[in-house]
Amino acid sequence: MGLQSAMTTALTGLQAAETTIDIVGNNVANSQTVGFKESEAVFATQFLQTLSIGSAPTASGGGTNPKQIGLGVKVAEISPNFTQGTIEISSNILDVAIQGDGFLIVQSGTGDLYTRNGQLKLNADNDVVTTTGQRLVGYTVDENFQVVTDNLVPLNIPLGKERVAQSTENATMAGVLNPAVEAGDEPEIIESLVLGNAAIEAPDDTNFDGTSIITTDTPDPATATETGAGVGPDAGLVRYRIAFLDDVTGGESSFSTEFTVNNTVAGTIDLTNIPVADGVIFTNRAIYRTEADGSTFYRVADIGDAVTTTYTDTMDDATLVGNPVMDATNIEAGSYSYYVTYYNPSTGVETRPTARVAAPAIANTGGGRMRIDLDDVGAPIDASFTQMRIYRNIVGESSNFRLLAEVPSQADVGNYESIYIDSIDNTTLALGSELNLDGPPAVSGNLLTEVIVRSGDVYMTPFEEGVLSFAGEKDGVSLSEKELTIEATTTVQNLIDFMRDALGIDQESSLSTIPFPQPIGNVEIVNGQLRVTSNMGEENAIDIPLTAFKITPTGEQVNSTIALNFNATQTANGPGTSSEFIAYDSLGLPVSVRVTTVLESKDNNSTTYRWYATSPNNQPVTGLSTVVGDGVLIFDSNGDLDDQNPTARLSIFREGTASESPLEITLDFSTVKALGETDPQGNPISTLNVTNQDGFPPGVLNDFIITEDGTIQGQFSNGTQRTVGQIVMARFSNSSGLQQVGDSMYATGVNSGNPIYGSPGEEGIGALNAGAVELSNTDIGQNLIELILASTQYRGGARVISAAQELLDELLALRR
């Protein structure tokens, strides 16, 4: 038994040595395998043959030890060595080296596997995979790039596909606001031409033209002959004048020159050769004469037809002086034109006038008279217009029209006078009220389609149903074009509100304790004129050019300009600054912001600047307002901003897009100073600029980095960074209990314990070094020593077997 036992015991040594050589061979073979952990064989004694258990000491003896013979060796464990391998820099940004405990987690068909090999790459789908094709798993991110920790999923880095934008949250302002400039206390005020109310009926002047006004003929003088019989004028020189007479209105033509008779005795006077009237315009004649040796003409009689050429004057002087006195006033020689309007004496409303009608020139140096046919002016439908007003220009002043007369209109039945004879001289005419060529002014409640404007004598209705576009200017900078849809119900007030919004006029201070100074910016209609009052400061001065308004009628594609001329009635004071910058909303859409400033007040202790912010891209829930914020900047005696100033904040609404609304931007004025800077000429200057804003336009993912905590940080082309994934690792209570499954992978073993998941650096898990790999921890020198020892062990075991064989041979030889 002994020799056989020796052989089997030696055989176990050979097997142990072989195992060691196998392990050493594997360690050396994987000395260049990234993340490889070398193993070592751990041996234990096998069974023992006990010959004696020994004896205990006694009074007479010292005792004996057990007598046991070992029956060989066994492999108790092949133990992986998970000591840290050397970290080596890699050229691949996806490579990761684990510094400390833990394993990367990969996906396989049979469940999760674990590896220390951090050589990673992207496949065709941009999934992160190992060199042997397993997908690396971890946490993904949601649409807001927040890590989602619900489940472990394959990590994907969508280079060239994922796009992202960053909304602006903060903007930093820098500059100097000069305290030595003039404070702004007068805003820019501009006014438009007059808008008229077309709803009030205008005269129908279709037939009112040059044929409606003529100069009256001047009668030739008659012949006067003394008869010396009967009752008549007193003795003395008697003067006569004759006028043609309109028997409808009683209007008189120009008067003839004087013709006289020396009445030697009181008695009748015969008039012969009296001029004949035309029988159409003037159907009667009127005779005027003076007292004997007198100079005042009194009306003697009317000849009630157009053709009688004789008349006998039998009126004595005493009776004559009780008659009407002749009004020989004439219009001075020159050129004249006329307008006619309707007038409502109850309301004081007067229509716009007819077209201007030029009358024949009066060439007679003595002047003349005009006959106006009012039948040619169409009657109004509204019967409340009971008067007609006639206007004429003053000689030499073609645009100065004054009220000539008021006559009953056709609407005033029974009192209508169809003919008016104009004999008013210019001195008297100049006392009359001036003609309002624009007519009744429009008010806020008028329909926009019933608004008229005048260009010379031409009246137009510029607004019609369609789309009105409008773009004004602020301090010479063109504002963004805005549109108003004009419908049948659109009013002038709708236009006013639209213009105020489009011009970015701020009407209410965001600081209840520091209201705007008066007057507050506004758009209103005053006496038919659109009046625009800007916010304070030269930088807020509004102008509206002739091309500001354009209309595209419904159903048409081409627009046309509405010429609404605006003129400045007050010039703004208060120099300031203007700064524009581009911010971005949550979709990366650019949002233009303009910030203007004006010195509002100053005293011995502080300087107060007011700032206004507008954005043409503001899209509020209602209206089109471009106002997005305002505030004050109060500086102390050192020119530093008062820390107690309210937070400067802009709110830009984005209701017309899918962006987050409102876009809230905090303006940081902390570096702005109030100092007395000057230009090279010594003039005070102010500057204000945006030095930084933290928003970005859309950008594509074009690079990434992996941090120590396993975060995959995406680098986008717009300069932003976003988390696109999170590497998750696992550690085990007993890493040596893991089961190796090839491809540098481990599976959970029965003695490894369950995996403990966490991010690198957490839960006792090591950190990650990106762009590096962990080399094999094989110690080749130690393994070669172990190889020598195993080889020696093997040879020794073989010698034991050879010796036992020789002894057996000797034993068998005894029978011979």
mmCIF file of all heavy atoms in Angstrom, residues 419-453:
data_model
loop_
_atom_site.group_PDB
_atom_site.id
_atom_site.type_symbol
_atom_site.label_atom_id
_atom_site.label_comp_id
_atom_site.label_asym_id
_atom_site.label_seq_id
_atom_site.Cartn_x
_atom_site.Cartn_y
_atom_site.Cartn_z
ATOM 1 N N ILE A 419 -80.129 131.295 -55.717
ATOM 2 C CA ILE A 419 -79.136 132.185 -56.290
ATOM 3 C C ILE A 419 -78.559 133.048 -55.175
ATOM 4 O O ILE A 419 -79.269 133.528 -54.292
ATOM 5 C CB ILE A 419 -79.753 133.105 -57.363
ATOM 6 C CG1 ILE A 419 -80.389 132.270 -58.479
ATOM 7 C CG2 ILE A 419 -78.694 134.055 -57.930
ATOM 8 C CD1 ILE A 419 -79.403 131.421 -59.237
ATOM 9 N N TYR A 420 -77.199 133.194 -55.224
ATOM 10 C CA TYR A 420 -76.571 134.118 -54.293
ATOM 11 C C TYR A 420 -75.668 135.043 -55.090
ATOM 12 O O TYR A 420 -74.891 134.602 -55.933
ATOM 13 C CB TYR A 420 -75.745 133.360 -53.245
ATOM 14 C CG TYR A 420 -74.998 134.291 -52.312
ATOM 15 C CD1 TYR A 420 -75.657 134.940 -51.289
ATOM 16 C CD2 TYR A 420 -73.643 134.541 -52.509
ATOM 17 C CE1 TYR A 420 -74.980 135.817 -50.449
ATOM 18 C CE2 TYR A 420 -72.949 135.416 -51.675
ATOM 19 C CZ TYR A 420 -73.627 136.049 -50.651
ATOM 20 O OH TYR A 420 -72.964 136.927 -49.830
ATOM 21 N N ILE A 421 -75.824 136.363 -54.807
ATOM 22 C CA ILE A 421 -74.997 137.376 -55.450
ATOM 23 C C ILE A 421 -73.920 137.794 -54.470
ATOM 24 O O ILE A 421 -74.222 138.307 -53.384
ATOM 25 C CB ILE A 421 -75.818 138.608 -55.881
ATOM 26 C CG1 ILE A 421 -76.977 138.193 -56.794
ATOM 27 C CG2 ILE A 421 -74.915 139.625 -56.571
ATOM 28 C CD1 ILE A 421 -76.558 137.581 -58.085
ATOM 29 N N ASP A 422 -72.679 137.573 -54.854
ATOM 30 C CA ASP A 422 -71.544 137.907 -53.986
ATOM 31 C C ASP A 422 -71.057 139.310 -54.321
ATOM 32 O O ASP A 422 -70.617 139.573 -55.444
ATOM 33 C CB ASP A 422 -70.418 136.897 -54.195
ATOM 34 C CG ASP A 422 -69.171 137.223 -53.379
ATOM 35 O OD1 ASP A 422 -69.253 138.065 -52.460
ATOM 36 O OD2 ASP A 422 -68.109 136.603 -53.642
ATOM 37 N N SER A 423 -71.134 140.186 -53.301
ATOM 38 C CA SER A 423 -70.651 141.559 -53.486
ATOM 39 C C SER A 423 -69.726 141.965 -52.343
ATOM 40 O O SER A 423 -69.432 143.142 -52.177
ATOM 41 C CB SER A 423 -71.850 142.524 -53.543
ATOM 42 O OG SER A 423 -72.558 142.482 -52.301
ATOM 43 N N ILE A 424 -69.257 141.004 -51.541
ATOM 44 C CA ILE A 424 -68.488 141.293 -50.334
ATOM 45 C C ILE A 424 -67.046 141.619 -50.708
ATOM 46 O O ILE A 424 -66.369 140.839 -51.397
ATOM 47 C CB ILE A 424 -68.518 140.099 -49.366
ATOM 48 C CG1 ILE A 424 -69.955 139.699 -49.047
ATOM 49 C CG2 ILE A 424 -67.751 140.411 -48.089
ATOM 50 C CD1 ILE A 424 -70.765 140.784 -48.398
ATOM 51 N N ASP A 425 -66.567 142.756 -50.220
ATOM 52 C CA ASP A 425 -65.180 143.115 -50.490
ATOM 53 C C ASP A 425 -64.255 142.280 -49.592
ATOM 54 O O ASP A 425 -64.678 141.669 -48.609
ATOM 55 C CB ASP A 425 -64.961 144.612 -50.281
ATOM 56 C CG ASP A 425 -65.273 145.042 -48.860
ATOM 57 O OD1 ASP A 425 -64.562 144.597 -47.916
ATOM 58 O OD2 ASP A 425 -66.238 145.821 -48.661
ATOM 59 N N ASN A 426 -62.989 142.301 -49.916
ATOM 60 C CA ASN A 426 -62.032 141.443 -49.221
ATOM 61 C C ASN A 426 -61.801 141.860 -47.781
ATOM 62 O O ASN A 426 -61.514 141.022 -46.928
ATOM 63 C CB ASN A 426 -60.710 141.416 -49.986
ATOM 64 C CG ASN A 426 -60.794 140.575 -51.240
ATOM 65 O OD1 ASN A 426 -60.758 139.348 -51.196
ATOM 66 N ND2 ASN A 426 -60.930 141.238 -52.388
ATOM 67 N N THR A 427 -61.920 143.124 -47.499
ATOM 68 C CA THR A 427 -61.730 143.576 -46.114
ATOM 69 C C THR A 427 -62.805 142.989 -45.216
ATOM 70 O O THR A 427 -62.527 142.506 -44.108
ATOM 71 C CB THR A 427 -61.768 145.108 -46.046
ATOM 72 O OG1 THR A 427 -60.729 145.646 -46.873
ATOM 73 C CG2 THR A 427 -61.586 145.599 -44.620
ATOM 74 N N THR A 428 -64.037 143.016 -45.708
ATOM 75 C CA THR A 428 -65.126 142.431 -44.927
ATOM 76 C C THR A 428 -64.995 140.914 -44.877
ATOM 77 O O THR A 428 -65.218 140.279 -43.834
ATOM 78 C CB THR A 428 -66.475 142.817 -45.547
ATOM 79 O OG1 THR A 428 -66.569 144.244 -45.615
ATOM 80 C CG2 THR A 428 -67.631 142.270 -44.724
ATOM 81 N N LEU A 429 -64.619 140.320 -46.000
ATOM 82 C CA LEU A 429 -64.499 138.861 -46.056
ATOM 83 C C LEU A 429 -63.459 138.348 -45.063
ATOM 84 O O LEU A 429 -63.630 137.279 -44.467
ATOM 85 C CB LEU A 429 -64.123 138.435 -47.473
ATOM 86 C CG LEU A 429 -63.960 136.928 -47.688
ATOM 87 C CD1 LEU A 429 -65.290 136.201 -47.494
ATOM 88 C CD2 LEU A 429 -63.399 136.636 -49.072
ATOM 89 N N ALA A 430 -62.386 139.103 -44.855
ATOM 90 C CA ALA A 430 -61.310 138.646 -43.972
ATOM 91 C C ALA A 430 -61.788 138.468 -42.537
ATOM 92 O O ALA A 430 -61.137 137.780 -41.740
ATOM 93 C CB ALA A 430 -60.151 139.643 -44.020
ATOM 94 N N LEU A 431 -62.925 139.031 -42.200
ATOM 95 C CA LEU A 431 -63.473 138.886 -40.850
ATOM 96 C C LEU A 431 -64.220 137.569 -40.661
ATOM 97 O O LEU A 431 -64.542 137.181 -39.541
ATOM 98 C CB LEU A 431 -64.407 140.064 -40.541
ATOM 99 C CG LEU A 431 -63.776 141.457 -40.626
ATOM 100 C CD1 LEU A 431 -64.842 142.521 -40.368
ATOM 101 C CD2 LEU A 431 -62.621 141.591 -39.641
ATOM 102 N N GLY A 432 -64.513 136.883 -41.767
ATOM 103 C CA GLY A 432 -65.255 135.633 -41.688
ATOM 104 C C GLY A 432 -64.393 134.481 -41.188
ATOM 105 O O GLY A 432 -63.168 134.518 -41.222
ATOM 106 N N SER A 433 -65.045 133.437 -40.701
ATOM 107 C CA SER A 433 -64.317 132.252 -40.197
ATOM 108 C C SER A 433 -63.668 131.505 -41.353
ATOM 109 O O SER A 433 -64.161 131.520 -42.483
ATOM 110 C CB SER A 433 -65.263 131.328 -39.445
ATOM 111 O OG SER A 433 -66.319 130.906 -40.281
ATOM 112 N N GLU A 434 -62.544 130.843 -41.058
ATOM 113 C CA GLU A 434 -61.782 130.159 -42.091
ATOM 114 C C GLU A 434 -62.414 128.805 -42.410
ATOM 115 O O GLU A 434 -62.923 128.111 -41.530
ATOM 116 C CB GLU A 434 -60.329 129.961 -41.638
ATOM 117 C CG GLU A 434 -59.413 129.440 -42.727
ATOM 118 C CD GLU A 434 -57.951 129.425 -42.309
ATOM 119 O OE1 GLU A 434 -57.666 129.831 -41.156
ATOM 120 O OE2 GLU A 434 -57.107 129.019 -43.123
ATOM 121 N N LEU A 435 -62.336 128.410 -43.650
ATOM 122 C CA LEU A 435 -62.898 127.141 -44.101
ATOM 123 C C LEU A 435 -62.054 125.972 -43.595
ATOM 124 O O LEU A 435 -60.818 125.992 -43.701
ATOM 125 C CB LEU A 435 -62.940 127.121 -45.634
ATOM 126 C CG LEU A 435 -63.305 125.775 -46.283
ATOM 127 C CD1 LEU A 435 -64.722 125.358 -45.921
ATOM 128 C CD2 LEU A 435 -63.119 125.856 -47.789
ATOM 129 N N ASN A 436 -62.722 124.969 -43.068
ATOM 130 C CA ASN A 436 -62.055 123.715 -42.700
ATOM 131 C C ASN A 436 -62.204 122.762 -43.876
ATOM 132 O O ASN A 436 -63.236 122.116 -44.048
ATOM 133 C CB ASN A 436 -62.669 123.131 -41.436
ATOM 134 C CG ASN A 436 -62.062 121.794 -41.063
ATOM 135 O OD1 ASN A 436 -61.026 121.399 -41.598
ATOM 136 N ND2 ASN A 436 -62.711 121.080 -40.150
ATOM 137 N N LEU A 437 -61.139 122.666 -44.659
ATOM 138 C CA LEU A 437 -61.207 121.852 -45.859
ATOM 139 C C LEU A 437 -61.337 120.364 -45.548
ATOM 140 O O LEU A 437 -61.804 119.585 -46.383
ATOM 141 C CB LEU A 437 -59.957 122.086 -46.718
ATOM 142 C CG LEU A 437 -59.885 123.430 -47.452
ATOM 143 C CD1 LEU A 437 -58.503 123.627 -48.045
ATOM 144 C CD2 LEU A 437 -60.951 123.515 -48.537
ATOM 145 N N ASP A 438 -60.911 119.961 -44.351
ATOM 146 C CA ASP A 438 -60.937 118.537 -44.008
ATOM 147 C C ASP A 438 -62.322 118.050 -43.598
ATOM 148 O O ASP A 438 -62.572 116.849 -43.568
ATOM 149 C CB ASP A 438 -59.950 118.257 -42.874
ATOM 150 C CG ASP A 438 -58.531 118.555 -43.293
ATOM 151 O OD1 ASP A 438 -58.078 117.948 -44.272
ATOM 152 O OD2 ASP A 438 -57.885 119.406 -42.645
ATOM 153 N N GLY A 439 -63.194 118.967 -43.278
ATOM 154 C CA GLY A 439 -64.532 118.561 -42.890
ATOM 155 C C GLY A 439 -64.586 118.010 -41.479
ATOM 156 O O GLY A 439 -63.635 118.144 -40.695
ATOM 157 N N PRO A 440 -65.671 117.348 -41.108
ATOM 158 C CA PRO A 440 -65.810 116.817 -39.746
ATOM 159 C C PRO A 440 -64.674 115.847 -39.431
ATOM 160 O O PRO A 440 -64.403 114.920 -40.216
ATOM 161 C CB PRO A 440 -67.161 116.099 -39.779
ATOM 162 C CG PRO A 440 -67.884 116.671 -40.946
ATOM 163 C CD PRO A 440 -66.837 117.026 -41.941
ATOM 164 N N PRO A 441 -63.987 116.018 -38.307
ATOM 165 C CA PRO A 441 -62.867 115.118 -37.996
ATOM 166 C C PRO A 441 -63.360 113.745 -37.551
ATOM 167 O O PRO A 441 -64.436 113.599 -36.963
ATOM 168 C CB PRO A 441 -62.150 115.840 -36.846
ATOM 169 C CG PRO A 441 -63.230 116.635 -36.181
ATOM 170 C CD PRO A 441 -64.161 117.070 -37.284
ATOM 171 N N ALA A 442 -62.545 112.734 -37.835
ATOM 172 C CA ALA A 442 -62.850 111.382 -37.368
ATOM 173 C C ALA A 442 -62.608 111.302 -35.868
ATOM 174 O O ALA A 442 -61.776 112.017 -35.305
ATOM 175 C CB ALA A 442 -61.971 110.365 -38.095
ATOM 176 N N VAL A 443 -63.338 110.436 -35.218
ATOM 177 C CA VAL A 443 -63.161 110.176 -33.784
ATOM 178 C C VAL A 443 -62.868 108.685 -33.612
ATOM 179 O O VAL A 443 -62.952 107.894 -34.555
ATOM 180 C CB VAL A 443 -64.410 110.598 -32.980
ATOM 181 C CG1 VAL A 443 -64.616 112.100 -33.055
ATOM 182 C CG2 VAL A 443 -65.653 109.872 -33.484
ATOM 183 N N SER A 444 -62.510 108.317 -32.374
ATOM 184 C CA SER A 444 -62.036 106.952 -32.122
ATOM 185 C C SER A 444 -63.069 105.892 -32.476
ATOM 186 O O SER A 444 -62.720 104.776 -32.854
ATOM 187 C CB SER A 444 -61.618 106.803 -30.659
ATOM 188 O OG SER A 444 -62.720 107.070 -29.795
ATOM 189 N N GLY A 445 -64.357 106.234 -32.366
ATOM 190 C CA GLY A 445 -65.390 105.239 -32.630
ATOM 191 C C GLY A 445 -65.763 105.078 -34.079
ATOM 192 O O GLY A 445 -66.535 104.173 -34.430
ATOM 193 N N ASN A 446 -65.242 105.922 -34.964
ATOM 194 C CA ASN A 446 -65.569 105.808 -36.385
ATOM 195 C C ASN A 446 -64.994 104.520 -36.981
ATOM 196 O O ASN A 446 -63.931 104.052 -36.585
ATOM 197 C CB ASN A 446 -65.006 106.994 -37.158
ATOM 198 C CG ASN A 446 -65.769 108.279 -36.914
ATOM 199 O OD1 ASN A 446 -65.198 109.363 -36.934
ATOM 200 N ND2 ASN A 446 -67.068 108.188 -36.665
ATOM 201 N N LEU A 447 -65.713 103.980 -37.944
ATOM 202 C CA LEU A 447 -65.194 102.829 -38.673
ATOM 203 C C LEU A 447 -63.988 103.259 -39.489
ATOM 204 O O LEU A 447 -63.982 104.331 -40.102
ATOM 205 C CB LEU A 447 -66.275 102.250 -39.583
ATOM 206 C CG LEU A 447 -67.492 101.634 -38.891
ATOM 207 C CD1 LEU A 447 -68.505 101.182 -39.935
ATOM 208 C CD2 LEU A 447 -67.092 100.478 -37.994
ATOM 209 N N LEU A 448 -62.992 102.428 -39.502
ATOM 210 C CA LEU A 448 -61.763 102.782 -40.198
ATOM 211 C C LEU A 448 -61.992 102.890 -41.699
ATOM 212 O O LEU A 448 -61.347 103.692 -42.381
ATOM 213 C CB LEU A 448 -60.686 101.736 -39.892
ATOM 214 C CG LEU A 448 -59.244 102.101 -40.244
ATOM 215 C CD1 LEU A 448 -58.838 103.412 -39.581
ATOM 216 C CD2 LEU A 448 -58.303 100.985 -39.836
ATOM 217 N N THR A 449 -62.918 102.103 -42.229
ATOM 218 C CA THR A 449 -63.198 102.161 -43.664
ATOM 219 C C THR A 449 -63.979 103.424 -44.043
ATOM 220 O O THR A 449 -64.174 103.675 -45.227
ATOM 221 C CB THR A 449 -63.990 100.919 -44.102
ATOM 222 O OG1 THR A 449 -65.160 100.777 -43.269
ATOM 223 C CG2 THR A 449 -63.140 99.664 -43.986
ATOM 224 N N GLU A 450 -64.449 104.199 -43.048
ATOM 225 C CA GLU A 450 -65.175 105.447 -43.317
ATOM 226 C C GLU A 450 -64.323 106.667 -43.004
ATOM 227 O O GLU A 450 -64.830 107.772 -42.855
ATOM 228 C CB GLU A 450 -66.476 105.490 -42.511
ATOM 229 C CG GLU A 450 -67.496 104.455 -42.971
ATOM 230 C CD GLU A 450 -68.810 104.564 -42.214
ATOM 231 O OE1 GLU A 450 -68.841 105.257 -41.187
ATOM 232 O OE2 GLU A 450 -69.799 103.951 -42.658
ATOM 233 N N VAL A 451 -63.008 106.458 -42.898
ATOM 234 C CA VAL A 451 -62.080 107.565 -42.681
ATOM 235 C C VAL A 451 -61.622 108.087 -44.034
ATOM 236 O O VAL A 451 -61.347 107.312 -44.954
ATOM 237 C CB VAL A 451 -60.865 107.098 -41.839
ATOM 238 C CG1 VAL A 451 -59.736 108.113 -41.896
ATOM 239 C CG2 VAL A 451 -61.289 106.858 -40.402
ATOM 240 N N ILE A 452 -61.555 109.415 -44.146
ATOM 241 C CA ILE A 452 -61.069 110.023 -45.377
ATOM 242 C C ILE A 452 -59.861 110.891 -45.059
ATOM 243 O O ILE A 452 -59.704 111.376 -43.937
ATOM 244 C CB ILE A 452 -62.146 110.872 -46.088
ATOM 245 C CG1 ILE A 452 -62.641 111.986 -45.145
ATOM 246 C CG2 ILE A 452 -63.283 110.024 -46.572
ATOM 247 C CD1 ILE A 452 -63.528 112.998 -45.832
ATOM 248 N N VAL A 453 -59.022 111.070 -46.043
ATOM 249 C CA VAL A 453 -57.910 112.008 -45.942
ATOM 250 C C VAL A 453 -57.929 112.884 -47.181
ATOM 251 O O VAL A 453 -58.445 112.496 -48.236
ATOM 252 C CB VAL A 453 -56.554 111.274 -45.812
ATOM 253 C CG1 VAL A 453 -56.475 110.510 -44.517
ATOM 254 C CG2 VAL A 453 -56.307 110.344 -46.994
#
